[in-house]
Amino acid sequence: MLSSKGYSWKAARARLPPYRQVLHTVRNPKFLLSLGLCTAVLLLWRSMGSAAGEMQKFHCWGPSKPPMHMSANENADWHRHLQTPVLFNPHKPVEVSNRDIQHVDLNAVKSTIDAVRNKERVLILTPLRDASFYLAKHFDLLTQLTYPHDLIDLAFLVGDSTDDTTAALAIELDRMQNNPDVAFRSAMIVEKDFGITLSQDVEYRHSFAAQGPRRKALGKARNYLLSAAMKPEHSWVYWRDIDIVDSPAKIIEDFIAHDRDVLVPNIWFHRYKEEKGKMVDIEGRFDYNSWQESPSALKLAATLDKDVVLAEGYKEYQTNRIYMAKMGDWRADKDVEIPLDGIGGVNIIVKADVHRSGINFPCYAFENQAETEGFAKMAKRAGYEVYGLPNYVVWHIDTEEKPGNG
């Protein structure tokens, strides 16, 4: 097309400035100054872009003054012309894929009055020794509990038994757990011998001489069972002895509704005797271990060696404590509460966090008390509430105790 208009490459080349003219233009100070200014502007623009990127990288947005040093006008001017960006979740979560590392969140484990709705787990604990005779009745009462069985875990400790307690327990558990209508969430059998040789004869077992060694041994058995069975998921711990013959089916719900750290019922027993040709039902009072402290007992304890264990209901030590066993009536309001300083171990419901805090059953003299009474003393000393229900009666087996044995 160049050739069609009379142009040629030679003509176009002739119109270009000569080599010397181009060189003169390049050396002109005005040209060099213009080139320098353009280069400076370009570098400045590139540096500003880099600085903006660094600001975004470190999330540094904001005015040059702290808000507290800005006047009202400066604050309004800043927010009118610039909005501060908001970043949500700027950090990635930490992911741990190692299966050997476990995470337990005890903040989520609560003990509330809405235990059923919140699906709070209950652990029922029972220490056993030569207890095969009582197991059938014990499991009959367990199956009648109305608290959801899929939220209940059972655990038993068998120690120093001379009968077939372990075999009988295994049979009863197998029978129950194979019945989907009554099966519990889980069951555990713990075996631990402590070398206890104390007689299980009723008269000796409840004699004054046996109380110190017996209570210390029971405290140790309870602590072993608790440490083996309690899991992070448990909200409540229900201690239930093997020789209960009758109790309300809703006892767990009834006790949870009180929202107390430690709570016990009154423990009585039925004794049937023939009088004038008729069988008479005598409501006997049992478990003098649930009591309120007295000045006499505190004065007595101050005179005793620290290793002496006070046992209640015995003439050897007159404490003048107020016994819950002598109070109440199962026909009256079952929700009446009284504060206690000592408790018995037949039936106790405890918030699991009480045990997690280190409150256990001393197998030694703690403030001259051991086992459950020492547990109550320890709990109160740690600031927990210990209460009893004098009108809420759980029935114990008749021990045919002799006069003077409480």
Side-chain angles (χ1 to χ4, degrees), residues 60-301:
C60 298
W61 290 284
S64 58
K65 290 184 178 180
M68 64 184 66
H69 293 163
M70 296 174 66
S71 66
N73 289 337
E74 288 173 332
N75 186 278
D77 183 67
W78 168 259
H79 288 93
R80 180 169 62 250
H81 296 288
L82 179 65
Q83 293 186 357
T84 302
V86 178
L87 295 182
F88 295 97
N89 302 319
H91 303 291
K92 293 182 179 179
V94 176
E95 295 183 4
V96 178
S97 58
N98 191 321
R99 295 185 179 181
D100 295 331
I101 301 175
Q102 296 183 352
H103 175 242
V104 176
D105 184 9
L106 290 178
N107 294 307
V109 181
K110 306 294 183 182
S111 303
T112 69
I113 59 175
D114 295 322
V116 175
R117 186 176 65 182
N118 295 335
K119 298 187 180 300
E120 295 174 14
R121 296 266 294 278
V122 176
L123 174 63
I124 300 181
L125 299 177
T126 304
L128 303 175
R129 178 175 176 235
D130 294 336
S132 58
F133 174 79
Y134 307 100
L135 286 171
K137 183 64 177 179
H138 180 76
F139 279 94
D140 285 343
L141 293 175
L142 286 181
T143 58
Q144 295 172 19
L145 293 174
T146 57
Y147 195 88
H149 288 196
D150 62 329
L151 297 176
I152 297 177
D153 300 286
L154 306 178
F156 302 83
L157 183 139
V158 182
D160 299 292
S161 286
T162 58
D163 66 359
D164 59 349
T165 294
T166 303
L169 174 61
I171 292 172
E172 290 290 342
L173 282 174
D174 186 62
R175 173 180 62 85
M176 183 178 64
Q177 292 300 93
N178 283 325
N179 183 349
D181 294 331
V182 297
F184 291 88
R185 183 185 183 92
S186 71
M188 174 188 294
I189 299 175
V190 179
E191 291 193 71
K192 174 61 180 177
D193 295 327
F194 301 99
I196 299 173
T197 57
L198 299 173
S199 172
Q200 285 288 81
D201 176 74
V202 171
E203 184 173 349
Y204 174 77
R205 187 175 64 183
H206 293 278
S207 67
F208 174 78
Q211 290 311 297
R214 179 174 177 270
R215 299 301 295 280
K216 292 178 181 179
L218 276 172
K220 186 177 291 186
R222 289 184 187 275
N223 291 335
Y224 270 75
L225 177 55
L226 177 66
S227 64
M230 190 169 73
K231 300 295 188 295
E233 297 80 15
H234 291 130
S235 296
W236 301 88
V237 178
Y238 178 18
W239 293 92
R240 185 181 176 98
D241 275 2
I242 193 66
D243 41 14
I244 292 174
V245 296
D246 194 16
S247 65
K250 292 183 61 179
I251 188 169
I252 296 179
E253 295 95 319
D254 290 344
F255 273 44
I256 285 176
H258 285 264
D259 197 27
R260 296 297 184 183
D261 298 320
V262 182
L263 188 64
V264 296
N266 218 339
I267 309 297
W268 293 2
F269 65 87
H270 286 291
R271 178 172 293 163
Y272 297 93
K273 288 189 176 181
E274 184 176 352
E275 294 182 2
K276 297 180 181 180
K278 294 183 179 180
M279 295 301 296
V280 178
D281 180 5
I282 299 173
E283 294 178 354
R285 308 301 174 101
F286 186 83
D287 200 348
Y288 286 76
N289 303 125
S290 294
W291 40 261
Q292 294 175 329
E293 193 60 274
S294 69
S296 299
L298 293 174
K299 185 177 180 180
L300 173 62

